[in-house]
Amino acid sequence: QVQLVESGGGLVQAGGSLGLSCAASGDPLRSYATGWFRQAPGKEREIVAAISRTSATTYYSPSVEGRFTISRDNRKNTVYLQMTNLKPEDTAVYYCAAELRPGVIMKERGYDYWGQGTQVTVSS
């Protein structure tokens, strides 16, 4: 069973950048498809980005495409989300998720393993 821990959240001004990391332990990350989700107060959790276990395929929500980049380093058992040109509407708790299968997974219900979340706050 894989365990996930997010880090890198914080407070940033609009237009700034922030990088998130998700460290996996327990099982090699190379066996898992991974993704990033976020949840703002009063809203449902939504997909941000996803990446296949070999990095061959990625998916981005239209709301972040062109601003965010998902990547992974299987040797370090870590998945990353680099966020640029941040907007106040990006404010949310960001979660990483993993599933023991190939391909990209875009649905929340497709993931069995989740981190605890990290808060990202973008001020105007």
Side-chain angles (χ1 to χ4, degrees):
Q1 180 175 300
V2 70
Q3 298 167 354
L4 306 172
V5 179
E6 302 96 335
S7 63
L11 176 64
V12 64
Q13 293 184 358
S17 300
L18 202 62
L20 305 182
S21 298
C22 177
S25 61
D27 279 335
L29 188 63
R30 65 177 180 271
S31 299
Y32 293 81
T34 56
W36 287 94
F37 291 76
R38 66 186 182 187
Q39 187 168 24
K43 301 185 69 175
E44 295 184 349
R45 189 163 9 190
E46 64 176 352
I47 182 73
V48 175
I51 188 168
S52 63
R53 60 190 188 184
T54 66
S55 299
T57 309
T58 58
Y59 168 82
Y60 294 95
S61 166
S63 65
V64 308
E65 190 171 13
R67 299 188 296 121
F68 292 8
T69 301
I70 188 171
S71 62
R72 60 190 292 163
D73 187 338
N74 289 337
R75 294 183 181 88
K76 296 181 179 179
N77 280 339
T78 303
V79 60
Y80 305 95
L81 185 69
Q82 182 61 230
M83 305 181 292
T84 63
N85 192 25
L86 283 160
K87 304 174 180 180
E89 50 262 45
D90 295 318
T91 295
V93 177
Y94 283 71
Y95 300 88
C96 65
E99 181 67 15
L100 191 61
R101 57 154 288 178
V104 289
I105 305 170
M106 306 170 193
K107 301 292 187 180
E108 179 181 355
R109 64 179 181 269
Y111 292 94
D112 288 329
Y113 303 100
W114 294 82
Q116 84 289 348
T118 186
Q119 176 71 47
V120 173
T121 303
V122 184
S123 62
S124 60

